Amino acid sequence: LGIMPDSPLFTAAAVAVIAMAIAVVVAVGLQVLRSFRDLGTDAERATYKTLHAASRAGQYLRTGLNPAGAAKASRQLRSILGCDALAITDTTGVLAWDGAAEELKPALMGLASKVFDGGHLAVIPAGELELLAAGDAGVMLAPEVERAVVIAPIKTGTRVVGVVAAFAPAAGAGLVRATGEVADWVATQVELAELDASRTLLMEAEVRALRAQISPHFIYNSLNAIASFINTDPVRARELVVEFADFTRYSFRRHGDFTTLAEELRCIDRYLLLERARFGDRVQVSLRIAPEVLSTVIPFLSLQPLVENAVRHGLEAKEGPGHISITANDSGAFAEVTIEDDGVGMDPDQLRSVLAGHSDGDHVGLRNVDARLRQVYGDDNGLVIETAPGEGTLITMRVPKSQPRHDA
C-alpha cells in the first residue's frame, strides 16, 4: 500500500526526518562547542590561539626571509599583535604587507633606516608618522586617518637582517613590547633557517671531502691495475676501463645529496671489481641483501667509504687473503647495513679520537660518514663500530626506511 505525498502519514514522516536532521546538527555543534570550552578559561583559549598562530607562522619562515614565506607568516603575526597592518622586510625592501595602510608601503624602508643603522626598536607616533612619510616618500594619508608605527629589528647575532613593523592608531606600551617580542621570535626562525642551510652546506662539503679522498690513491691504483692488463689481457682491460668510468661518473656526480641503497651497492660492486684487479684472490667478498630495503634512501657516498676503509685499512695490511661481508636487513622502521672485515682492526681509542675530530688519522672517511649520518638523522644514528687490533672491524649503519623529505 503506497503513501500519497499529501497524506497525513507522509507529512508526519517528513517532519520526523527534519527533526532528526536538526538534532544531529545540534549535537555536532554542541560537541564542537564543548571541545572548545575544554580549553578552559578565556586566557587559556587566547594562549592557544596565539601559540597556534605562532606555530603556523614558524612553518612559513623555516626557509628564511623571502616574499612567499613572509607573506603567509605576516597574516598569522598580525593576528597575534591585533594591529591594523603588519609588514616584514629584509635589508633590501618590503617582503610582505598584511592589512590596511598600504599607502605607507613606499615609505617604510626610509622610516626604518635608523632601526637598520642602530639595531634598536623605534616608535613613530601618530601625526609624526604622516609628516615623515610625506617627507620621505611623498605619501599623503587621509586627514581622518591617524596611525602610529612600531618598528622592531630582526637580528641574527649582531646583524640586522630585516624589521617587523606594526601599524595601529596608537603605539601603547603593550604593542611596543609585543612587536619587539615578535621580531625576536622571527629572528629565531631565521637563525634556524640559516642553520638548516649551513647543515646542507656542511653535508655538501663532506661529500666533496669524500670525493677528494677517493681521487688520489684510488684513481692512481686503478689506472695502474688497468695498465697491467693491456698487454696480457686486453679484453679484461677494456672491461675494467668501463667499470672505472661508471664508478667515477657516480662518485663525482653533481646532483643530489641522497641516493638509494641499490645505487650505492652498484657503486660498491664496481669499486670492488677494480680492487680485485689489484689484489686478486686476496680480497673475498660476500653479500646478503634483503630485497625490501634496496629502495631505502641513504646519504650519497655513505657506504662506499666504509667498504674502502675495509679494503685499505683492514685487508691491504693483512698477510694472505681477507674477507669482507656486506649485509643489509629490514629492521622494523630501519634498514640496517653492516660491513665486516677480518683484517688488522683498529685501536678503539684512536678511532674514538678520529670520530670526535680530534685527529686526522687514516680513517677520515669513517668520520665524514659518521658526521653526515648524525647531521641528517640525529646523534643517535651515527656509525656503530666494533674493532680491536688484530680482530677485524664491524661497522653498522641504520637509516630510517621512510624519509619523505629526502629524494634520491
Side-chain angles (χ1 to χ4, degrees), residues 254-274:
R254 293 186 178 272
H255 64 280
D257 295 321
F258 295 88
T259 187
T260 62
L261 180 59
E263 284 294 321
E264 193 82 355
L265 288 171
R266 201 169 290 123
C267 167
I268 289 171
D269 183 56
R270 296 182 182 117
Y271 168 78
L272 289 172
L273 277 172
L274 293 163

Side-chain angles (χ1 to χ4, degrees), residues 122-146:
V123 178
I124 304 175
E128 186 179 338
L129 173 60
E130 287 80 353
L131 293 174
L132 289 174
D136 285 349
V139 173
M140 299 299 295
L141 299 180
E144 67 276 7
V145 176
E146 283 196 355

Side-chain angles (χ1 to χ4, degrees), residues 44-57 80 185:
E44 289 171 335
R45 286 193 288 273
T47 300
Y48 166 78
K49 289 176 65 176
T50 300
L51 292 174
H52 180 67
S55 175
R56 294 279 302 277
I80 293 174
W185 178 88

Side-chain angles (χ1 to χ4, degrees), residues 3-21:
I3 299 175
M4 298 300 292
D6 56 350
S7 69
L9 186 57
F10 179 85
T11 302
V15 170
V17 170
I18 293 171
M20 289 180 61

Side-chain angles (χ1 to χ4, degrees), residues 49-373:
K49 289 176 65 176
T50 300
L51 292 174
H52 180 67
S55 175
R56 294 279 302 277
Q59 296 172 11
Y60 303 134
L61 292 171
R62 284 309 297 272
T63 55
L65 279 180
N66 57 69
K72 295 178 180 178
S74 63
R75 300 188 191 104
Q76 304 297 329
L77 298 178
R78 186 165 79 90
S79 71
I80 293 174
L81 294 177
C83 53
D84 292 349
L86 183 134
I88 300 174
T89 82
D90 61 9
T91 57
T92 61
V94 179
L95 300 175
W97 189 290
D98 188 71
E102 280 203 61
E103 64 272 16
L104 286 166
K105 189 174 180 179
L108 179 55
M109 295 304 289
L111 297 171
S113 59
K114 291 184 179 179
V115 178
F116 281 110
D117 293 339
H120 301 296
L121 181 146
V123 178
I124 304 175
E128 186 179 338
L129 173 60
E130 287 80 353
L131 293 174
L132 289 174
D136 285 349
V139 173
M140 299 299 295
L141 299 180
E144 67 276 7
V145 176
E146 283 196 355
R147 285 195 176 91
V149 62
V150 181
I151 306 175
I154 302 170
K155 299 172 71 172
T156 60
T158 59
R159 295 182 301 124
V160 178
V161 297
V163 302
V164 172
F167 296 85
L175 180 63
V176 172
R177 287 196 298 269
T179 304
E181 292 295 332
V182 165
D184 289 344
W185 178 88
V186 171
T188 300
Q189 307 310 307
V190 173
E191 287 177 336
L192 289 172
E194 290 178 350
L195 179 60
D196 284 343
S198 298
R199 291 176 63 180
T200 300
L201 291 174
L202 181 58
M203 282 186 60
E204 292 173 356
E206 296 287 2
V207 171
R208 287 194 295 270
L210 288 168
R211 287 170 173 159
Q213 180 196 350
I214 288 169
S215 50
H217 67 273
F218 175 73
I219 291 177
Y220 177 81
N221 290 335
S222 295
L223 291 176
N224 273 343
I226 292 169
S228 69
F229 285 101
I230 290 176
N231 294 325
T232 60
D233 192 345
V235 174
R236 178 84 185 280
R238 282 195 296 271
E239 291 173 348
L240 289 174
V241 167
V242 172
E243 297 295 342
F244 177 76
D246 287 341
F247 173 82
T248 53
R249 186 181 299 113
Y250 175 83
S251 300
F252 292 93
R253 73 176 192 178
R254 293 186 178 272
H255 64 280
D257 295 321
F258 295 88
T259 187
T260 62
L261 180 59
E263 284 294 321
E264 193 82 355
L265 288 171
R266 201 169 290 123
C267 167
I268 289 171
D269 183 56
R270 296 182 182 117
Y271 168 78
L272 289 172
L273 277 172
L274 293 163
E275 289 291 48
R276 281 197 291 266
R278 291 177 57 213
F279 293 108
D281 293 337
R282 284 188 58 202
V283 177
Q284 301 170 2
V285 182
S286 62
L287 287 88
R288 190 173 71 253
I289 311 297
E292 60 267 26
V293 300
L294 286 173
S295 60
T296 300
V297 174
I298 63 175
F300 176 63
L301 280 184
S302 56
L303 284 185
Q304 189 277 336
L306 307 184
V307 176
E308 185 172 355
N309 182 82
V311 173
R312 288 185 62 203
H313 305 299
L315 304 186
E316 192 169 349
K318 177 183 178 179
E319 293 185 6
H323 183 262
I324 297 173
S325 174
I326 304 171
T327 68
N329 297 312
D330 188 332
S331 180
F334 292 84
E336 185 172 279
V337 183
T338 65
I339 296 170
E340 184 173 14
D341 68 75
D342 59 359
V344 298
M346 294 177 269
D347 175 59
D349 291 334
Q350 179 192 359
L351 177 62
R352 277 190 288 270
S353 178
V354 170
L355 293 179
H358 298 153
S359 62
D360 296 325
D362 292 332
H363 306 286
V364 65
L366 294 183
R367 185 183 68 200
N368 287 346
V369 173
D370 180 66
R372 289 166 61 216
L373 290 174

